[in-house]
Amino acid sequence: MTQTTGSHWGMLLLASLIVCSGKLEFEDFKKLLTDLNDGIPPSDQEVKQVMDKADGKDGKVEGALGRMDILYAVGVWYSYVDHQQKQEEVSSCCSIS
């Protein structure tokens, strides 16, 4: 997994959805994570885990991400990707035959 910080499509999607509805639903959040992940879509399970962890940070648990939830969720995603990359590095350098 690779993470990108200068994703124009994801930021435009995020801005327009927040302005229109004030929240992101599952499919839209998955599109955002895909964009932040250099076009590699996360699994539905990964999206759900991040959403479950972030939903409610704005004080409302609603199955969608509000403004504060989204900020937290993007941080959770980058932390998750970083952890996955470190795990891959460890497993590739420490294989036992």
Side-chain angles (χ1 to χ4, degrees):
M1 287 184 208
T2 307
Q3 53 191 23
T4 305
T5 55
S7 179
H8 299 297
W9 164 246
M11 295 305 118
L12 289 173
L13 172 70
L14 178 62
S16 66
L17 289 169
I18 291 173
V19 167
C20 292
S21 69
K23 59 186 173 183
L24 282 179
E25 302 290 338
F26 181 90
E27 287 302 321
D28 293 322
F29 185 60
K30 184 172 183 174
K31 289 176 189 174
L32 174 63
L33 293 183
T34 299
D35 200 47
L36 295 175
N37 201 38
D38 279 344
I40 301 167
S43 70
D44 286 352
Q45 181 182 359
E46 289 172 320
V47 177
K48 183 175 177 357
Q49 287 174 342
V50 173
M51 285 187 77
D52 288 348
K53 191 164 197 157
D55 189 18
K57 292 297 177 187
D58 62 357
K60 297 178 246 172
V61 176
E62 52 195 352
L65 300 177
R67 289 177 178 96
M68 294 304 294
D69 299 338
I70 294 165
L71 295 174
Y72 184 79
V74 169
V76 168
W77 175 249
Y78 279 124
S79 179
Y80 171 76
V81 169
D82 186 54
H83 177 75
Q84 291 299 104
Q85 287 175 339
K86 288 178 182 172
Q87 292 291 36
E88 289 172 10
E89 290 170 10
V90 168
S91 65
S92 68
C93 75
C94 302
S95 59
I96 299 173
S97 303

